[in-house]
Each structure stands twice: as structure tokens, then as C-alpha cells.
Amino acid sequence: MGDEGGAATGEAIVEARDLNFYYGAKQALFEITLAVRRGIVTALVGPSGCGKSTFLRCLNRMNDLVDGARAVGGLTLDGEEINAGGRDVIELRRRVGMVFQKPNPFPKSIYENVVYGLRVAGVRDRGRLDAACEESLRRAALWEEIKDRLRESALGLSGGQHQRLCIARAVAVKPEIILMDEPCSALDPRSTLKIEELVAELRGDYTIIIVTHNLQQAARVSERTAFFYEGRLVEEGETGRLFTNPARRETEDYLTGRFS
Amino acid sequence: MAGGNGGFARDGKFWITLFGAALAFILLMLAVPGYLIVKNSLAALWPAPLERVRLRDGGVFLGRRVNSDLSPGGQVRIQYKVGNRELNASADFRWVRELDIAGIDFPEQAVALTRSENGDFFGFWLEDGEAGTGRPETLALKLEDYRRRREAEAEPPRRRLIELGERWRETNLAILKAAYPAESPEGRRLAGLLADEAEIKAESERILGVFNGIREDFLAERETFAAADSTRTLLPLDFILEAIWPNRLGFFGRLAQFFRNVRGLILDYPRSANTEGGLFPAIFGTVLLVFLMAVSAFPLGVAAGVYIQEYAGNGFLSRLARVAVNNLAGVPSIVYGIFGLGFFIYGVGGGLDSLLYPERVAAGINTFGGGGMLWSSLTLGLLTLPVVIVATAEALATVPSEIRQGSLALGATRFQTLWRVVIPLAAPGILTGFILAMARAAGEVAPLMLTGAVKSAHLLPLDAEWPFLHPERKFMHLGFHIYDMGFQSPNVEASKPLVYLTALVLLILVFAMNLAAICLRQRLRNRQGMKGL
Amino acid sequence: MKKLRPLPNFSRLADWAAEAIITIAGLAVILTLAAMPALMLKEAAPLFLPPGLKPLGKIESPEKLDPGQVAALIVSADLSGKNRAAGLLARDGRLAFAVPGEGGMAFLPWRPLTGSAAAIRQAENLGGGKFSLLREDGVLNLAQIDLEFASDGKGGTVVEPAARILLEVEMGGETAPPLYAMLRGDGASHQALAVYADGTVREKRLAPPRGLLRRGGGIASEREARIRLPASLSAAALNRSGDTLYLGTGEGDLIKVDLSGDSDSEIAWEAVPAFPDRRPVTALAFLNGDYALAVGDGLGGTSVWFPRRENGEFRLRRAVAWPIGGGAVEAITPSLRDRSFLSLRRDGSLSWFHSTTARELLAVPARNPKPGLLAVSSRGDNLLSLGSDGNLEFQAMDSAYPEAGWNGFFRRLLYEGYERAAFVWQSTAPESGEPKLSLVPLVWGSVKAAAFAMLFATPLALAAAVFLSQFAPPAWRACLKPVVEMLAAVPSVVVGFLAALWLAPLLESRLRFFLGDQPYDQRNSLVIAVALGFAVIPNIFSLAEDAISAVPNSLAAAALALGASKWQAVRGVVLPAAAPGIFTAVMFGLGRAVGETMIVLMAAGNTPIISLSPYNGMRTLSANIAVEMPEAPVGGVLFRTLFLCSLLLFALTLGINLTAEILGHRLRRKYGSP
């Protein structure tokens, strides 16, 4: 349920109203009502299979790739219905970027990876692409490390660098929202730290929604947290308060490790 | 391995050794054809010395040693190529038992003639028809001079006759067209064409007369040669294509002749009912066929593979399509051949003929309704389609889905994702599968027997004559050549060396394609792995 | 930073266009591939269609002649089969013609046939418009009665009948005119034969006529024989070439008279009691091909007889018989195109029989009016009958490949001249030879070739796969596996020619020593085993090796940890786990072996025989297609049969591959590794 007050406030940029989601006959999300606020980091937590990733993927309609996936209910971005019939999915995905659990750089050069989103959007001006590349890599704290290696294959980077590259790639398109689906679960602790630092920096210019099963990470990086359980939104609120003083029984059980 | 109680049986050493022997045997089986083909091919190309063999019973002959083995009785026999078909009752080769040989020598004056008719001749050149064999340089000069004169005098009318022949053919076809359908001839135009025809005929006859006269004169220029047993014969210079004195050649001389022979093999046309000569039209036909087949199969196969893997979804129909395509790869090639015959040749070809050339159909002439390069390449293309489709689909399937998702999440359309990310990743697999399919199809003969390969075609399907590509023409093919020479030829023994050579050329072609596939795959993998685009 | 523009229309258009093109291309390809079996089915299906007789209409005859008054019917059709004409030759020598005209068929006025005034006793259609006529006064006429179709210049057809007598020969006997007499011959020389009631058979050979001889001209030679008749004569038939005469008696005997040999040789004859119940022979006719004899008897039964080899001699024997019924057989009308014939019985019922496949193609029950006289057009597409009501009726005949069908392809049949029923494929029979289209030798050939090849290849390939996968040093695998796979790259035509030109003679020379005089073909199943095996080994090896190597190491490791030796681990754990993959590999190899064409074409001798001996060759379905197709006339029975062979091959290989996949799946689920 919603919660007002607390340290981080902003207008709602994404709003779900009684959102139900089905994979074929199986229902994965039940009556989700949630408002995500602009410019802050919101964490989605919950045990495996609780629907947090599913919800995340509703926001940029990546669930469309699955046969039989269907959303029923209200889900808006800036007030416009995401699932409306005539909605331009390509446009949506430009405004809502995504970073995946397993870093997935393309087998191209670093430069080409970063500017990929711009190229498919039709940008050809070399100057613009170069500038965007540098800016995105800087924002991803990767520029200094690889500025001399832009033409080399992206596959030659380390695991942590891969994920930062993916973030740079997502940022290059100037989305409003960045979705992150367990971005650190495949990384070692040092790289994880770097990614978390990055998230902290990107906040403000971007709205970030991060799915994580690591409660400490959620506590570290997010301003607000939503707890999902078995397809339902159990509780949502300011991170600090939720962790120290959960309103619901299930939340408390999860936080204390009764189930995971 | 632990020994001890029941050690041998437990270790299974016997079986392991046996299995290892099986592997060795298989490798040996691979070596045997390679060895045979290379050995026989080299023997056919390497200018071996001419041996004069005197037999105990007084006979004598000149020959080139070709083979030796043990006769059923356990004695060593040697096979010689003796040539001189017209003197030896059409037997080019002969076997002699080693015991029957009284002596062998290598006369320096022995000459080997390559002829345009009747194959090779081994003997001695009698300058001025008398004993005292002549000097090689003299004969060489005579031949050169002869050819120069022939080129100057006989070539022009010959070429004009060929031109007239072409015009005659075209005019006849035009007449057919103008006179069809039977009830309504186009009066004036027909009259004009008939006049053309008469004119061509008249000129042809005139030139033919002139040409025949010239030719007779040239053919009368003959030289005397004698076989080893002193039988004399007069051979027209016109028939002599090449004269070499093998016993005078040193190693480098032989090497030079060897390379000349290789060059002849690749660039010459066949002679003497495919028992001598070169393989140019067959090589050309095979390469052109593979090229046309590739051009038709690649885009369609890749498109269908992309369709099945990326666009078709998972409904019943598309699963059925997948199963169907998978299994069609195992259908025998002759079935594709018969389909090509029924569908392309009689169906589409017959339809095209009825539409475009009804007058020819009425006269019983097939243009597209008979076998030809076009239908053969389409049939073979069809043969390779299932393999290309499956290779494409599988290569696409190996692309990780998160790469696809990554691209889509950045706002790319499906096609952009395919074009920019997925297909480049799958390219090595697609290309490799494609080239391997082509290599396999290059060796297929069965469908070609039904769709347009012939034992002898004097026109190439691609030449300097408009419209340059003649897809309706029949063509020669290396694989079909092997079958035809080895089994339909009246003189199989004489064709044998050329069969081995053809097999060698075909194998080189096929293995080159296989190698190209592997190299290409390696290169593409390297490019993606190490460097950027 | 500027915000991105919305996606330009171009890219969206490209996306849509790409999807459209790819979908169309993909569907087109798949449909074309699916068209393959459809096309083959379309070409092969007519082989199994039943024959038909379709009534086309009656022609009212202005003068209703009873069939007894008519000597012969003449029927003719044009190339398209759609325009027909009919003629009636009455016994009194008059001719009537019905030709197409405005508004249907019209009868032309009667005209006389020139020649002797005596009534016509017998008329025989010799084909090509020629008729052999025996008059009551013993004169034999050769008549030419033509019904030629011509274009009338306005898109229609017109028929100009023409009739004249070409030849006259006196055959009258001392006491009475002959019972039966026939003329044979081409334009140059003729042969006249007469059979008299007392058993005398008289043959006259005529010298080539100069101009138009009218009466008995130029008799070159004559011979005669006196046959001791076991009973009175009731039927006679002379073959086309005039060298064999069959006579039937009223007590069921068949007499074969041998007229071959020149004018100085004796006429030999032989009588055979055909029916144990001594029922009369009522009709005799030679079937197309001039060898087999169709016999109709007094109880309505029909049978086919021809000389068969028995103990080194040829004796007349019955080949096939159909049931009695319907009253005596009145006439037998053979087809001029194939081995079928019509048998007309007294009650008016008609049977259309085919001798080779021993079937009744069609049974037409008796009806009113009864057909009394029949004639078949030369192309076998039209049947004309004269009813008891004096009217003519046309029927369209469609024999639809009678030598094909289940019987023709798969049953053991007794072919003309053969000692016993057999499965025979012999498509290249001479012009009037009996087509023998049994597919059994071909299927047997495919099976035998594949079996020999698999016997050779499977143990070798599997053994090598096990060795390379489990017992050889790993470095070997990377190096040797591609080498063995290179075997697959060798074109089969090269393998075939090496097998035929090198291996086969080598094997023969080595084996001759051991075999002595045993029958031995140079190109035989042993050669095929090695050659076809060579082609199949890399396929089996590759798939099997993949399957064995795919078994997780943990399985073998577990066995080893329990104290098993490597060999025991492999034999007991790894191989069973890999069994589904191995099975699939073998099955795919089998599929390849069945479909291979060039190797069997070149190295198997190509004789379609059924034999278990490894010392002779075979002809497979695939090689058969390659060899026969270039010469097969389009649309003919051989052409369609080859499409059927192709369909069989397609189904066979598809079946093998599908079985491999499905069973492989099932086995994998049952026994596969976790």
C-alpha cells in the first residue's frame, strides 16, 4: 500500500492500478497498485517467484516476447497507458531502459555497443555519436579505463566492466527510467560495489527501479522499497522505515529471514 | 588399469584393440581412394618414357608402362599403353607377362603423337618417307608452319561457316514463329525470312565448297610414320596436335611437359569420344552449376531459416514445418531429380514453352521444356535448401536470448535486431552450413542425369554470345563425366586414365570448398572475438 | 542533450517489409518442398485408377440390321479421341458408314464393296484398315476400309470413307469351301490360309503383287497338312505374323498348328485336350503381342493359354481362367494396345479381362438390347457395339494402365513364356512385348544393398566411434574426427567408379581361386557392401561419436570410483547411456544407404533379380529411376511407375528418419542420462 511522507518525495512517474498479469492460464501478478516516484531509486524485493521481475518487465513490455503473456489493468507512464493498443513499443523502450542480470554486451566494439541504441534510432551524425559515447561512458565510470580501447571488441572486458558497459549503453539513449533486473547477481563483490556507486550517482537524473534479492543492497541503494510476495504487492514505502518497522507480518518475516 | 584377477577380460584389452583396429581400417579406407586416384592421375599426366618391348615370340611394340600386377597364376604382368588404335584393332592397352619379354630399350627417336582422332600414336618419324628417322626439330618446324598456314587460309571460311550456321538456326526458328499457327502465316514477313534462309543456304554452300577444297589440300599434307614393328602409315599433319620425344627429355623436360599436360587437362575440350583431351567444359559446367545453385539457394534458404526460427512462432503448423524441413534433408537426391524433371522441366518449362514458343512446341522443339543448366541448378538448389535452412535455424538458435533482449530493450525493431546483432553472430554457422551443403551438392550426379547434364556439349552455357547466359543449354559436369566415361563409353579401358583425372579434379574442387568453409568459419569467429567492426 | 526523435518511418517500413519478404520466402520454400510428394502422387495415382467404359451415345441406324447379318464393324477415332466414325460391313457386301456431321452422327447411304458377289462368311480386322474376308464361294479378299479424319478448313473435322478390295485369292476346296480362311501379310508378300471341315489345312504364299491383281495371281508356293481331328471344329485363330494357328473343337480340344518355317517344311500340329469336362471351344483370339491365346468356351468361361517351358520343351498350357456363367462365349475382341480383351457371352454380358495380371478389369452385366458384335478402335479408346435392336452404340474405353496396379506391381505373375509365376521387372521389352512391372525385385534390391552395407559399416563405425571417444588420447579426437568426416565429402560417383573399376575386378581375381566354378558376377553384393558401406560409415561414426562423447563424465567417473576398469565402465555405463544416440546414428545411416543412387548404379550390376547370394548384384529403386527415366515416354506407364518408385523411396527414407527421431526421443527419455 502507498505511504506518504519520508525523505524522498517526487511525483509518480509510473503508476500501476489493479494490474493483473497472466502467462497463458497462469496468473503471475494480482491486483498490483503501486506508484513509482520520479528521480529516486526504488527497490523491488521478495522471495524467488514472487513476481518482481515480471512486474519490472511489464514496464518496458519485454514480457511481450513470451507467448501468451497478457496484462489486464492499468499501467501508465507519465499518465499514458503502457499497454494501450496503439502504443508504440519501440518508443516506450527508449524511454524505459533495461539492464539485465547477465551482462549482455554485443559482439561488437565498445564504441558500437554504446552507440547501438542511437544508431537504431536513426542517428548517423558522427559527432553526435562520439559525444554521446563519451558522456555515457563517463556516467558509467568507465571512460578513463577504456577510452583508448573504444574500437576493440567489447567481449575483451572483464565481467564488472561488461555490466557497466551495459549501463552506459542504456544511458546513451537518454531514457527517463532505468530498469535493473538483479544487475549484480552475476558479479563479484568489488564489481557489485562499483555498480552500486553508479546507481547512487545516476539517481536524480534518472528514475531507477532495481530488482534485487539482496536485502542489504536494497537498503544501501534505494530510497523506497516495495515488497512482493506470491504475485501480490504486500507493502511499499520509504526504505529506512520499511526495514526497521515493517507494517505487515509477511514483510517482517521475510526481512528476518523466516523465508526467502 | 588394474590388473590382477580376470585382468584381461576385465580390462577389455582385446576389445579396445579391436576397436582401435576398426578406426585404423577406416582411416586406411580413406587413404586408398586418395592414393589410387593420385597415383593414376599422375601416371596419366607424367610423360613416362616410351619403351620398345621385344617379345620372345618375335613381336615388338612401343608403349608406355601403365600398371603392373600379379596375374591369377602368380606371374608378374605389365600393362602398356600402346596407342595406335587404328593399327591395333582398337585396343589401346595390352598386358604382357614379364616372362615373355625378351628385352626392353628406350629408343631416342621414338615419338609420341597426340592426335585429334584415334588417340595417341607411338612410333618413329621417317623424314621424306625413308628409313633414317628425322630430327625432332624439323618435324616441330613443319607442324608450326602447317598450323600457321592453316590458321591463315582455313580458319576464316570455317568461322564464317559457323556464323552462317548460327544465323541459319535463328532464321529457322524465326520462320517457325512467323508461320505459326498453321492457319494464319504472316505473309510478308514470312516471305522475307524465307528469302533470308535461301540466301544463307546459298552462301553456305558456296563457302563450304571453298572450304572443303582448302581442307582437302591441307589434309593431303602427310608425313610417314612407322610403328615399332615397322608397319608404315601416312598421317595427315592436321591430325597431329602435339609431338614429343619422351626418351629425349631430361627431368626438367619432363616436368615442363607435365605442366603442359596439366594445362591441357584444364583448358582443352575432350576428344575421341571422351577418351582423350581435356576437361574444360566439364569443369566450367560444374563451377557454373555450383555458382548458380548457390545464388538461388542462399537467399531463399537463409530467408526460410530466419522465418522458421524468428518469425513463425510455435504453433502446430510451424512445428510441422520444422519437422518437414528436417526430414527432407534425408530424402535421396534422385527423388529431387525426379521432382525437378516433373515440376521444373515438364511443368514450369513446358508451360514457359507453351507461352513463349508455341510454334516450337508444335514442331517438337524444346527450349525450356527439356533439361538444361537452369533446371539443374534449381533442382540442386532445392536439394541443398533443407540443409541450409536447418543450418541457419540452428545457428540462429545458438544466439543467446539475452543478446536479443538487450537489443530490443534499447528500442530496436525486430528486423534491426536480426540484421545488426543476431545474424552477424550466427553468420559463421550459416555460412559454414551453406558451403558444406554446396560442397555436397557439387558431387551429386543422380539428379543431373535427369535434368540436363550430357556426355558432350559443344556450346557452353555462358559465353560471349548475347544474352551471355544461356540457361536452357545442356552442359557437361565432372561427376556426370565420370559416370558416362566409366560406364557408357564403348572403350572403358581407354577412358580409365581420364576418369581418374576427372575424379581428381572433382575431389580437388570439393575439398577446396570444404576447406574454404572451415577457414571462413575460423576467420569470422576471430573477427567477432578479437576485433571490432 | 537533445531528445531522440521518434523512429523514422523508414525503419518501421523496413521492419515491416523485411517481415513480409521473409515470411513470403519462407512459406514459398516450405510449400515447394511440400509439393514434392504431392507431385509424385499426382503422377503415380493414375496407375491405380480402375478402368472404365463410358457410354457415349447411340446411333440410330436407318436400316436395322440384325447382328447376324453383319460381317464386321469398323470403328475409328481421331487423335483427340473425341471425333468418331463407324462402319458396318453387311454379309451381303454392302457398306454403311456413320460419320460426324452437323448435329451429330449421320448415316451415309449404303454402297457396295466391290468384289465377288458371294456373301461374306467371315471378316477379320487386321488393323490399319485392312480386313480379311472369306466369301461363301471360298474366295479370300483383302479389303482396305478407311475412315480417315481430315480438317474441313473451318475448325471442324470431316470423314471421307474409302473402301476397296486389294487382293483376291481362291481357296475353295475340292468338296466344300473352307470353314475358316485368313489372309496375312504386308504390302509385299501375302499368305493365305484355309481350314476345311475334314481337318485339311492349306497354306498358299503369294508373290509380291505388281499393280492391282484381281484374281489368284502369283501363287509362289503351297503346302498342306491333314489334321486328325478329335472332334469337329468350332473355332480358329491365326496370329498376326501367320506362323501359329490355333483350332478349337466342339469337345474342348485345342489344336496348335505350326506354320513357321519356309514353304518346303512340313506343317506340324499338336492337339491338347483343354477341358476335362469336354465343353466346346466357342471363341478363339490372339492377344496383342501375338503369343497368348484367349479361349472362350461353351459354358461362358474364359481362359488364356500360351506355350510354357516344361522339361526343356514348350507346351501349350493354361495360364489363367475366369469363372463360367452367362452362356457360351460368342466373341473375344482383343485390345490392340495392351494384353486386355473383351469377352462377350450369349446372354449379352461382357467381361473386360487383362491376361498378365489375371484380373477382370470390368464386368458389364447383360442388358437389353444385347450387344451382338463388337469392335475396338486402334488406339484402344473407343468401343463400338451393334445391338440386337440393330442400333450402334459408342463407348469410351479407358484401360488406364492395366499392367500396373497392385497386381502388376506386387503379385507374382505368370508372364508369357515363363515356366512359373515370378516377380519380374523388365521394362525394356520390345514393341509388342509384355510389360513386366513388378516392383518386388527393386524393393528387394534396395533392402539387400542396404543390408549388406549396414553389415559392413555399422560394426566398423561404432567400434571406431567408441574407441575414439573413450579410449584414444583426447588429442586424437580433435585431429581424427574431422578426418573421418572427410570421408563423407567424397562424392558418391567417385566411390562408385572406384568400386566398379578397381575393387570389383580385384575382388573377382582374388576370389576366383576359392570359388572355382560357382556363378559369380563381378559387380555383386560384396562390392556394394564395401562401397556403400564406405559412404555410410562417416554418417554413423559422426553421430555415434557425438552421442557417446555427450555422456557426462560423471557417469563413468562414478563407475570408476567403484572400482570398475575403464572398459567395464564404458561397456556397462557409458554405452547404455549413449544407446539412444547410437540407435539414431545407425538409423540415419540406414536411411542414407537406402537412398544412395550412384554407387549402386555403377557397382551393383543393375540386374533386377531376387537372390540371397552375395555373389550377384541387384538393382535398387533409386538406380532404377536413374537408369529408366531418360528413356521413358512422358505420361506413359513406365514414366508413372518411376514416379511411384520415387514416392516409395521418399516414403521409405522418411519413415526411417522419422522412426529414428521418434524412437530416439523415447529411448532418450527412458534410458537417457539425467
Side-chain angles (χ1 to χ4, degrees), chain A residues 57 90 104 108 116 120, chain B residues 402 405 407-408 411 416 420:
Chain A
R57 297 166 78 94
I90 311 285
N104 55 358
K108 297 170 182 280
Y116 182 82
V120 298
Chain B
E402 55 257 21
Q405 290 186 43
S407 169
L408 289 170
Q416 282 173 324
R420 291 169 180 269

Side-chain angles (χ1 to χ4, degrees), chain A residues 88 94 118 120-121 123 128 135 173-174 176, chain C residues 1-8 10-12:
Chain A
D88 183 0
R94 292 234 198 86
L118 293 171
V120 298
V123 176
R128 228 181 115 183
E135 183 186 337
V173 189
K174 297 243 162 293
E176 295 171 43
Chain C
M1 264 286 183
K2 296 191 280 189
K3 262 211 114 169
L4 288 171
R5 311 192 297 275
L7 188 64
F10 169 72
S11 291
R12 278 184 219 281

Side-chain angles (χ1 to χ4, degrees), chain C residues 584-606:
Chain C
T584 310
V586 171
M587 288 294 275
F588 276 120
L590 179 66
R592 169 90 202 269
V594 165
E596 177 52 50
T597 307
M598 292 315 291
I599 297 181
V600 279
L601 190 55
M602 298 199 266
N606 243 342

